[in-house]
Amino acid sequence: MSAPQVPDGRLRAYAQFLAGLFYYFLARLLAARGSMGLASETWRPLVEQAMLVFLLLLGFAGAGFTLNRQQHPVSAQGLPRRPGWPRELAMGLATGWAASLVCVLIMAIGGGVAIRLSLGSAAWGWLMVNLAFFALATLAEEITFRGYAFQRFARAVGSAGAVLGFSLLYAFLQAMQTGTTRASVAVSFLLCLVLSTAYLRTRALWVSWGLNFGWKASRALLFGLTVSGFSSHSSVVQGDPMGPFWLTGDGFGLEGSWLAFLVLLVVLPVIYNTTSNLDFRYNVPEIIPGGIPVDLAAAARKQHEAAMGPADGPSEPAAAALVQIIPLPPSQAPPRSDDSDANSGNQSLPE
């Protein structure tokens, strides 16, 4: 049984987008305040991201269920448990890791990277904590910038307008951080463009989430580099890049380098091509039932009767019964024609 349809005009969708955007900032505030009362300073970043993901999923799923009559609101946000979703996540993860590795290799060749290792058991434990932090932080970004609010904005202004608008919004929010430069703003804009393209090609967040996580966590946890101005993410590896500003991004990290911008320019067509099968599978237009139900069988029967006459009208004349011809008995056989001719010849003419 299909869900009841609700009005879905552009103005209504735009109002829902504004409400979703407002809820995002409210959820960030609630998560920050809540983590301060629930966890110590050491665990606060992880708890804050966990609370933010929970609030975003709960709020946007509730909005989709009540305002848009979505039967599966969590899946509608971009997290469907469809066949092959782990493969999609792995595809994005591999792409993000490869982009990060290319940047590190070029940076190492062009300048160098000093690596320090801490192999204690406590360091490995905190590495797992930081891994969970990046998984939650990137998931929160995906739900915010490619989830319910993005979908409503795309309904209001179209997919291209939504990609451009949210890329500008993401770049603006990143520009508000300490130490940002023109290069970091350009990288943020292009990164959001790549991730939004991955979502639109697959209609799910698995590829974009994996790509976002691989791009950021690889540099922080595998190479110990600074990510968005923070250099204390990895407890096992600490990396100190050396080289010109355009290559390393200085204290802001690779997000502030033109090298990252060039690498992401290459990632854009790569992610477009690698998602071709998913685009073919999941971008078929959805057929939404509407109008008055039509009985196709009855309509076809009516058309046939109009041309050939009603089926229950006068029937065709019955076929004539078969008549069997049998020979007569010899006693009743009529005289043969030759005998009658002979007899008539023997009669005498009257005198």
Side-chain angles (χ1 to χ4, degrees):
M1 186 175 182
S2 60
Q5 298 300 313
V6 296
D8 196 25
R10 294 180 181 271
L11 185 59
R12 177 186 174 90
Y14 185 74
Q16 292 171 351
F17 150 70
L18 292 178
L21 196 60
F22 172 79
Y23 179 77
Y24 161 68
F25 290 107
L26 178 62
R28 283 185 56 179
L29 179 62
L30 293 175
R33 296 291 180 85
S35 62
M36 293 176 63
L38 294 176
S40 62
E41 186 176 356
T42 304
W43 290 91
R44 189 175 301 162
L46 179 63
V47 174
E48 179 180 350
Q49 295 303 319
M51 292 184 64
L52 180 59
V53 169
F54 173 76
L55 291 174
L56 291 175
L57 282 176
L58 181 65
F60 289 154
F65 182 78
T66 57
L67 300 179
N68 305 100
R69 299 294 191 270
Q70 295 174 350
Q71 294 182 327
H72 305 284
V74 175
S75 298
Q77 289 185 60
L79 298 172
R81 296 290 298 274
R82 63 194 188 189
W85 70 266
R87 191 180 305 111
E88 298 176 36
L89 185 64
M91 178 195 303
L93 182 63
T95 305
W97 173 81
S100 178
L101 180 62
V102 169
C103 289
V104 172
L105 290 176
I106 295 176
M107 187 168 56
I109 295 173
V113 181
I115 299 293
R116 300 187 306 275
L117 299 177
S118 301
L119 302 178
S121 57
W124 288 105
W126 281 110
L127 182 66
M128 296 296 103
V129 174
N130 290 325
L131 187 69
F133 167 81
F134 273 102
L136 291 171
T138 52
L139 178 58
E141 285 188 357
E142 293 307 305
I143 296 173
T144 301
F145 294 98
R146 277 154 290 279
Y148 180 79
F150 177 88
Q151 296 163 17
R152 294 287 81 204
F153 195 55
R155 177 68 184 89
V157 301
S159 297
V163 170
L164 179 60
F166 269 78
S167 298
L168 291 173
L169 175 62
Y170 184 74
F172 172 75
L173 294 177
Q174 294 297 315
M176 297 178 65
Q177 298 184 14
T178 305
T180 56
T181 61
R182 286 181 295 180
S184 64
V185 173
V187 169
S188 299
F189 177 86
L190 185 57
L191 176 62
C192 190
L193 183 65
V194 172
L195 297 175
S196 298
T197 300
Y199 166 75
L200 291 175
R201 296 280 287 174
T202 62
R203 296 297 170 179
L205 299 179
W206 302 121
V207 175
S208 60
W209 181 23
L211 198 158
N212 197 358
F213 175 77
W215 168 250
K216 295 177 179 177
S218 297
R219 290 180 287 117
L221 304 182
L222 297 181
F223 306 110
L225 299 176
T226 301
V227 176
S228 299
F230 295 95
S231 59
S232 58
H233 290 298
S234 178
S235 56
V236 175
V237 183
Q238 294 83 38
D240 186 14
M242 296 172 289
F245 177 81
W246 70 269
L247 194 63
T248 64
D250 202 14
F252 196 77
L254 272 172
E255 283 94 347
S257 68
W258 290 109
L259 170 63
F261 184 83
L262 296 176
V263 171
L264 289 176
L265 276 180
V266 177
V267 171
L268 182 59
V270 169
I271 203 68
Y272 187 88
N273 291 327
T274 55
T275 55
S276 296
N277 292 334
L278 296 172
D279 174 62
F280 177 78
R281 185 181 305 172
Y282 297 113
N283 268 320
V284 176
E286 181 183 3
I287 300 176
I288 302 176
I292 302 174
V294 177
D295 188 346
L296 296 180
R301 184 169 58 253
K302 183 177 181 181
Q303 183 180 11
H304 174 76
E305 291 176 355
M308 306 298 296
D312 55 353
S315 58
E316 296 181 0
L322 295 178
V323 178
Q324 183 176 8
I325 302 175
I326 59 176
L328 294 175
S331 59
Q332 299 180 3
R336 294 187 302 174
S337 60
D338 52 352
D339 293 338
S340 61
D341 293 341
N343 293 334
S344 62
N346 293 332
Q347 295 179 357
S348 59
L349 298 173
E351 297 179 356

PDB file of all heavy atoms in Angstrom, residues 23 52-62 74 77 79 139 143:
ATOM      1  N   TYR A  23      18.068  23.577  11.978  1.00  0.00           N
ATOM      2  CA  TYR A  23      18.201  22.463  12.916  1.00  0.00           C
ATOM      3  C   TYR A  23      19.656  21.991  13.015  1.00  0.00           C
ATOM      4  O   TYR A  23      20.094  21.552  14.096  1.00  0.00           O
ATOM      5  CB  TYR A  23      17.303  21.308  12.485  1.00  0.00           C
ATOM      6  CG  TYR A  23      17.410  20.119  13.408  1.00  0.00           C
ATOM      7  CD1 TYR A  23      16.768  20.121  14.638  1.00  0.00           C
ATOM      8  CD2 TYR A  23      18.174  19.011  13.053  1.00  0.00           C
ATOM      9  CE1 TYR A  23      16.876  19.035  15.497  1.00  0.00           C
ATOM     10  CE2 TYR A  23      18.291  17.931  13.904  1.00  0.00           C
ATOM     11  CZ  TYR A  23      17.649  17.943  15.129  1.00  0.00           C
ATOM     12  OH  TYR A  23      17.772  16.880  15.979  1.00  0.00           O
ATOM     13  N   LEU A  52      26.152  14.570  17.896  1.00  0.00           N
ATOM     14  CA  LEU A  52      25.742  15.305  16.706  1.00  0.00           C
ATOM     15  C   LEU A  52      25.148  14.364  15.664  1.00  0.00           C
ATOM     16  O   LEU A  52      24.099  14.667  15.060  1.00  0.00           O
ATOM     17  CB  LEU A  52      26.932  16.065  16.129  1.00  0.00           C
ATOM     18  CG  LEU A  52      26.663  16.896  14.869  1.00  0.00           C
ATOM     19  CD1 LEU A  52      25.588  17.945  15.133  1.00  0.00           C
ATOM     20  CD2 LEU A  52      27.953  17.562  14.387  1.00  0.00           C
ATOM     21  N   VAL A  53      25.782  13.220  15.433  1.00  0.00           N
ATOM     22  CA  VAL A  53      25.241  12.252  14.476  1.00  0.00           C
ATOM     23  C   VAL A  53      23.869  11.771  14.921  1.00  0.00           C
ATOM     24  O   VAL A  53      22.925  11.671  14.109  1.00  0.00           O
ATOM     25  CB  VAL A  53      26.216  11.065  14.311  1.00  0.00           C
ATOM     26  CG1 VAL A  53      25.555   9.923  13.536  1.00  0.00           C
ATOM     27  CG2 VAL A  53      27.483  11.511  13.595  1.00  0.00           C
ATOM     28  N   PHE A  54      23.720  11.484  16.206  1.00  0.00           N
ATOM     29  CA  PHE A  54      22.432  11.018  16.720  1.00  0.00           C
ATOM     30  C   PHE A  54      21.345  12.076  16.538  1.00  0.00           C
ATOM     31  O   PHE A  54      20.232  11.778  16.080  1.00  0.00           O
ATOM     32  CB  PHE A  54      22.573  10.653  18.203  1.00  0.00           C
ATOM     33  CG  PHE A  54      21.269  10.313  18.864  1.00  0.00           C
ATOM     34  CD1 PHE A  54      20.662   9.080  18.645  1.00  0.00           C
ATOM     35  CD2 PHE A  54      20.645  11.234  19.703  1.00  0.00           C
ATOM     36  CE1 PHE A  54      19.453   8.776  19.253  1.00  0.00           C
ATOM     37  CE2 PHE A  54      19.441  10.926  20.306  1.00  0.00           C
ATOM     38  CZ  PHE A  54      18.838   9.701  20.087  1.00  0.00           C
ATOM     39  N   LEU A  55      21.645  13.317  16.879  1.00  0.00           N
ATOM     40  CA  LEU A  55      20.655  14.386  16.760  1.00  0.00           C
ATOM     41  C   LEU A  55      20.291  14.645  15.301  1.00  0.00           C
ATOM     42  O   LEU A  55      19.117  14.886  14.976  1.00  0.00           O
ATOM     43  CB  LEU A  55      21.190  15.666  17.407  1.00  0.00           C
ATOM     44  CG  LEU A  55      21.316  15.645  18.938  1.00  0.00           C
ATOM     45  CD1 LEU A  55      22.005  16.911  19.428  1.00  0.00           C
ATOM     46  CD2 LEU A  55      19.947  15.496  19.588  1.00  0.00           C
ATOM     47  N   LEU A  56      21.272  14.588  14.405  1.00  0.00           N
ATOM     48  CA  LEU A  56      20.988  14.820  12.993  1.00  0.00           C
ATOM     49  C   LEU A  56      20.113  13.714  12.415  1.00  0.00           C
ATOM     50  O   LEU A  56      19.147  13.974  11.697  1.00  0.00           O
ATOM     51  CB  LEU A  56      22.291  14.941  12.212  1.00  0.00           C
ATOM     52  CG  LEU A  56      23.145  16.186  12.470  1.00  0.00           C
ATOM     53  CD1 LEU A  56      24.453  16.100  11.715  1.00  0.00           C
ATOM     54  CD2 LEU A  56      22.389  17.448  12.080  1.00  0.00           C
ATOM     55  N   LEU A  57      20.458  12.471  12.721  1.00  0.00           N
ATOM     56  CA  LEU A  57      19.651  11.358  12.219  1.00  0.00           C
ATOM     57  C   LEU A  57      18.232  11.419  12.778  1.00  0.00           C
ATOM     58  O   LEU A  57      17.256  11.232  12.036  1.00  0.00           O
ATOM     59  CB  LEU A  57      20.310  10.025  12.599  1.00  0.00           C
ATOM     60  CG  LEU A  57      21.510   9.589  11.764  1.00  0.00           C
ATOM     61  CD1 LEU A  57      22.105   8.310  12.335  1.00  0.00           C
ATOM     62  CD2 LEU A  57      21.125   9.381  10.309  1.00  0.00           C
ATOM     63  N   LEU A  58      18.120  11.685  14.062  1.00  0.00           N
ATOM     64  CA  LEU A  58      16.803  11.726  14.685  1.00  0.00           C
ATOM     65  C   LEU A  58      15.966  12.878  14.130  1.00  0.00           C
ATOM     66  O   LEU A  58      14.793  12.698  13.764  1.00  0.00           O
ATOM     67  CB  LEU A  58      16.956  11.864  16.201  1.00  0.00           C
ATOM     68  CG  LEU A  58      15.658  11.902  17.015  1.00  0.00           C
ATOM     69  CD1 LEU A  58      14.927  10.572  16.890  1.00  0.00           C
ATOM     70  CD2 LEU A  58      15.952  12.214  18.476  1.00  0.00           C
ATOM     71  N   GLY A  59      16.545  14.074  14.057  1.00  0.00           N
ATOM     72  CA  GLY A  59      15.789  15.234  13.598  1.00  0.00           C
ATOM     73  C   GLY A  59      15.408  15.166  12.142  1.00  0.00           C
ATOM     74  O   GLY A  59      14.243  15.415  11.779  1.00  0.00           O
ATOM     75  N   PHE A  60      16.344  14.811  11.280  1.00  0.00           N
ATOM     76  CA  PHE A  60      16.044  14.762   9.850  1.00  0.00           C
ATOM     77  C   PHE A  60      15.125  13.591   9.507  1.00  0.00           C
ATOM     78  O   PHE A  60      14.287  13.705   8.605  1.00  0.00           O
ATOM     79  CB  PHE A  60      17.335  14.681   9.050  1.00  0.00           C
ATOM     80  CG  PHE A  60      18.122  15.963   9.054  1.00  0.00           C
ATOM     81  CD1 PHE A  60      19.504  15.957   8.877  1.00  0.00           C
ATOM     82  CD2 PHE A  60      17.500  17.178   9.247  1.00  0.00           C
ATOM     83  CE1 PHE A  60      20.225  17.139   8.873  1.00  0.00           C
ATOM     84  CE2 PHE A  60      18.211  18.360   9.258  1.00  0.00           C
ATOM     85  CZ  PHE A  60      19.575  18.344   9.070  1.00  0.00           C
ATOM     86  N   ALA A  61      15.277  12.465  10.209  1.00  0.00           N
ATOM     87  CA  ALA A  61      14.363  11.351   9.971  1.00  0.00           C
ATOM     88  C   ALA A  61      12.952  11.721  10.405  1.00  0.00           C
ATOM     89  O   ALA A  61      11.970  11.396   9.725  1.00  0.00           O
ATOM     90  CB  ALA A  61      14.841  10.110  10.710  1.00  0.00           C
ATOM     91  N   GLY A  62      12.843  12.423  11.527  1.00  0.00           N
ATOM     92  CA  GLY A  62      11.522  12.869  11.964  1.00  0.00           C
ATOM     93  C   GLY A  62      10.891  13.844  10.990  1.00  0.00           C
ATOM     94  O   GLY A  62       9.684  13.773  10.707  1.00  0.00           O
ATOM     95  N   VAL A  74      15.401   7.170   7.342  1.00  0.00           N
ATOM     96  CA  VAL A  74      16.863   7.066   7.465  1.00  0.00           C
ATOM     97  C   VAL A  74      17.476   6.667   6.123  1.00  0.00           C
ATOM     98  O   VAL A  74      18.492   7.227   5.691  1.00  0.00           O
ATOM     99  CB  VAL A  74      17.238   6.072   8.575  1.00  0.00           C
ATOM    100  CG1 VAL A  74      18.752   5.870   8.630  1.00  0.00           C
ATOM    101  CG2 VAL A  74      16.733   6.560   9.927  1.00  0.00           C
ATOM    102  N   GLN A  77      17.556   9.545   3.703  1.00  0.00           N
ATOM    103  CA  GLN A  77      18.625  10.528   3.904  1.00  0.00           C
ATOM    104  C   GLN A  77      19.909  10.154   3.174  1.00  0.00           C
ATOM    105  O   GLN A  77      20.810  10.976   3.060  1.00  0.00           O
ATOM    106  CB  GLN A  77      18.922  10.672   5.398  1.00  0.00           C
ATOM    107  CG  GLN A  77      17.841  11.374   6.185  1.00  0.00           C
ATOM    108  CD  GLN A  77      18.253  11.592   7.624  1.00  0.00           C
ATOM    109  OE1 GLN A  77      19.252  12.250   7.902  1.00  0.00           O
ATOM    110  NE2 GLN A  77      17.494  11.043   8.544  1.00  0.00           N
ATOM    111  N   LEU A  79      21.250   6.628   3.547  1.00  0.00           N
ATOM    112  CA  LEU A  79      21.875   5.489   4.218  1.00  0.00           C
ATOM    113  C   LEU A  79      21.042   4.221   4.042  1.00  0.00           C
ATOM    114  O   LEU A  79      20.663   3.584   5.022  1.00  0.00           O
ATOM    115  CB  LEU A  79      22.063   5.800   5.705  1.00  0.00           C
ATOM    116  CG  LEU A  79      22.984   6.977   6.036  1.00  0.00           C
ATOM    117  CD1 LEU A  79      22.922   7.304   7.520  1.00  0.00           C
ATOM    118  CD2 LEU A  79      24.414   6.682   5.618  1.00  0.00           C
ATOM    119  N   LEU A 139      30.739  11.349   8.968  1.00  0.00           N
ATOM    120  CA  LEU A 139      29.341  10.968   8.794  1.00  0.00           C
ATOM    121  C   LEU A 139      28.421  12.150   9.098  1.00  0.00           C
ATOM    122  O   LEU A 139      27.424  12.375   8.393  1.00  0.00           O
ATOM    123  CB  LEU A 139      28.999   9.787   9.698  1.00  0.00           C
ATOM    124  CG  LEU A 139      27.542   9.308   9.658  1.00  0.00           C
ATOM    125  CD1 LEU A 139      27.134   8.910   8.240  1.00  0.00           C
ATOM    126  CD2 LEU A 139      27.326   8.157  10.633  1.00  0.00           C
ATOM    127  N   ILE A 143      25.682  13.711   6.435  1.00  0.00           N
ATOM    128  CA  ILE A 143      24.252  13.866   6.731  1.00  0.00           C
ATOM    129  C   ILE A 143      23.833  15.325   6.599  1.00  0.00           C
ATOM    130  O   ILE A 143      22.741  15.642   6.117  1.00  0.00           O
ATOM    131  CB  ILE A 143      23.952  13.340   8.147  1.00  0.00           C
ATOM    132  CG1 ILE A 143      24.232  11.843   8.222  1.00  0.00           C
ATOM    133  CG2 ILE A 143      22.502  13.619   8.530  1.00  0.00           C
ATOM    134  CD1 ILE A 143      24.128  11.273   9.623  1.00  0.00           C
TER     135      ILE A 143
END
